[in-house]
Amino acid sequence: MTAGLIFCLLAGTLSVYTQASGVRRQRGRLHVLAHSDTTEDQVLKLQVRDAVAAVTADWLNDTTDTDQALALLTRRLPQIEAVAQQTVQNAGYAYPVSAQIRRSYFTTRQYDIVTLPAGMYQAVQVTIGDG
């Protein structure tokens, strides 16, 4: 799976048309908002995405359902925020960072063999600077 996909709880390839609402209920997403649309801030956003995804992937290895994963991520939001903040500082920026769990709209995205349909998802949202 790619770094943008924090947790997946369904196995196999999913049909966008027949399982869309179930997919949205059973998957969480990572949403990183860049400080601006500049090339530099977009590159920083991807660095933060990768750092947060790497640390959260280890935590989620033993989760069995979405509620359990969301509870774990909610408890660890300060750690997620700290990882994101350190990544921003290591890149030479002084932007503040915040992290929260919220429902967010996502467009349809293809990740390797999994397609996630457009819709509202529970997400770890990391905001860099003005987001």
Side-chain angles (χ1 to χ4, degrees), residues 16 20 36 52 57 67 83 91-92:
V16 172
S36 75
V52 169
D67 291 337
V83 166

Side-chain angles (χ1 to χ4, degrees), residues 106-121:
F106 289 84
T107 59
T108 298
R109 290 288 307 263
Q110 177 73 37
Y111 298 96
D112 299 327
I113 64 167
V114 176
T115 298
L116 297 180
M120 298 297 290
Y121 290 82

Side-chain angles (χ1 to χ4, degrees), residues 10-14 27 113-114:
L10 294 178
T13 304
L14 301 172
R27 296 203 183 243
I113 64 167
V114 176

Side-chain angles (χ1 to χ4, degrees), residues 70-92:
L70 285 171
L72 182 146
L73 291 169
T74 300
R75 286 192 309 274
R76 295 199 171 184
L77 277 175
Q79 291 165 280
I80 292 169
E81 197 169 284
V83 166
Q85 187 69 66
Q86 188 63 52
T87 303
V88 168
Q89 289 174 346
N90 289 348

Side-chain angles (χ1 to χ4, degrees), residues 26-99:
Q26 297 183 37
R27 296 203 183 243
R29 306 281 294 263
L30 172 61
H31 191 198
V32 180
L33 301 172
H35 177 69
S36 75
D37 289 334
T38 66
T39 300
E40 295 83 8
D41 284 346
Q42 293 300 309
V43 168
L44 178 62
K45 174 181 85 170
L46 297 178
Q47 292 171 344
V48 168
R49 178 203 65 192
D50 292 347
V52 169
V55 71
T56 56
D58 288 340
W59 300 339
L60 296 169
N61 281 339
D62 296 327
T63 58
T64 58
D65 63 45
T66 302
D67 291 337
Q68 181 185 15
L70 285 171
L72 182 146
L73 291 169
T74 300
R75 286 192 309 274
R76 295 199 171 184
L77 277 175
Q79 291 165 280
I80 292 169
E81 197 169 284
V83 166
Q85 187 69 66
Q86 188 63 52
T87 303
V88 168
Q89 289 174 346
N90 289 348
Y93 295 92
Y95 301 138
V97 172
S98 65

